[in-house]
Amino acid sequence: MDEVQVERILQNPKFKEMVRRKSNLSWTLTAIMLFVYVGFMLLVGYNKEFLLSSISGGVTTWGIPLGLSIIVLSFILCAVYSSIANGKLDQLNEEAMREVEAITHEKGTH
């Protein structure tokens, strides 16, 4: 593949759309995870009493389910990313790849 083909691929509207959507999705999910994690760390640093308090008068404190929920949230966000990437973004990727193949075959026929 020569530089002209690469440039045509990079300028392809479907390729640009796929890159934009994938970037927006990954940055959004990253921001959500970062917000939750930093919030938890701030809670640990500034309100330990809340985390050490019992949920219902037993031995389980609020820190345990909150910490576990952060771990669960990371799996949920991975599933959301995979679902969207495998659904909508794969369609754009396939369309872009068809156009790339057409560009490559077009170059081969000239």
Side-chain angles (χ1 to χ4, degrees):
M1 196 175 300
D2 62 13
E3 289 181 32
V4 174
Q5 286 176 308
V6 171
E7 188 59 34
R8 287 177 69 187
I9 292 167
L10 293 175
Q11 297 306 317
N12 182 301
K14 287 190 172 88
F15 180 78
K16 285 182 174 183
E17 176 71 12
M18 180 193 62
V19 170
R20 185 188 63 77
R21 283 189 179 184
K22 189 176 259 188
S23 179
N24 286 344
L25 176 63
S26 60
W27 280 112
T28 301
L29 297 178
T30 299
I32 291 169
M33 191 67 214
L34 189 62
F35 177 78
V36 170
Y37 184 75
V38 169
F40 183 72
M41 290 296 106
L42 290 172
L43 195 59
V44 168
Y46 292 106
N47 198 356
K48 286 183 187 175
E49 297 78 29
F50 170 72
L51 292 175
L52 292 172
S53 65
S54 176
I55 291 177
S56 62
V59 294
T60 304
T61 64
W62 281 104
I64 293 170
L66 288 176
L68 289 174
S69 66
I70 291 173
I71 294 169
V72 170
L73 177 66
S74 68
F75 283 99
I76 291 170
L77 292 179
C78 286
V80 167
Y81 180 84
S82 296
S83 174
I84 293 172
N86 290 338
K88 297 177 182 175
L89 297 180
D90 269 0
Q91 290 172 353
L92 278 174
N93 187 36
E94 288 174 15
E95 291 171 11
M97 288 306 295
R98 273 189 242 117
E99 291 182 13
V100 167
E101 288 175 4
I103 291 169
T104 305
H105 292 302
E106 182 179 302
K107 177 69 176 177
T109 60
H110 285 73

